Amino acid sequence: QCQLSGLWRNEQDSLMEISVLRDNGDFQGKYFTRVTLAGGCACTSPLKGAQQQPGEGGWPTFAFTVRWDKFSNATTAFAGQCFVDTGGKETLTTMWLLREAVGSLEEDWKATR
């Protein structure tokens, strides 16, 4: 069974640490993205989320948000699932949407990636 708590690294060498995982599935932690290093900021950003408790033999789904408030006026929402391969390696698969603030409703079209 997957355990979300701990330190995770993605393909771009960003780090996510889930430090608190409550019995009801709520969790929190911090995210360190390599993107900030390009701008000269080695900043961590807070994350909060929830894990769906898996059924017997199932792999948990989860969602979390990251608030990039220290270096950007943006928020990213992630949704994914945790798997364990036959060798025991845990892997998180996710999709994400990043929303940046824009100055007007007319600019809304370019605010989400």
Side-chain angles (χ1 to χ4, degrees):
Q1 181 175 345
C2 281
Q3 296 295 321
L4 289 183
S5 59
L7 188 63
W8 298 89
R9 180 184 306 274
N10 71 10
E11 297 86 5
Q12 286 78 39
D13 281 335
S14 294
L15 297 173
M16 174 177 73
E17 182 178 18
I18 297 176
S19 54
V20 177
L21 179 59
R22 294 184 176 85
D23 290 341
N24 67 356
D26 290 352
F27 61 86
Q28 62 188 42
K30 56 189 173 184
Y31 201 100
F32 175 78
T33 177
R34 298 286 294 177
V35 173
T36 61
L37 291 178
C41 173
C43 303
T44 60
S45 298
L47 71 84
K48 290 185 180 183
Q51 170 185 299
Q52 178 65 33
Q53 301 301 336
E56 192 158 324
W59 308 115
T61 59
F62 58 88
F64 63 92
T65 57
V66 177
R67 193 179 71 235
W68 310 109
D69 59 342
K70 291 191 173 87
F71 61 91
S72 171
N73 190 3
T75 302
T76 302
F78 293 81
Q81 190 169 3
C82 187
F83 296 96
V84 178
D85 68 15
T86 55
K89 181 181 176 188
E90 295 175 319
T91 300
L92 304 181
T93 61
T94 62
M95 295 182 65
W96 56 268
L97 285 172
L98 181 136
R99 177 65 188 220
E100 295 179 292
V102 292
S104 68
L105 183 57
E106 290 76 24
E107 296 177 289
D108 185 61
W109 64 271
K110 66 179 182 178
T112 303
R113 326 184 222 169

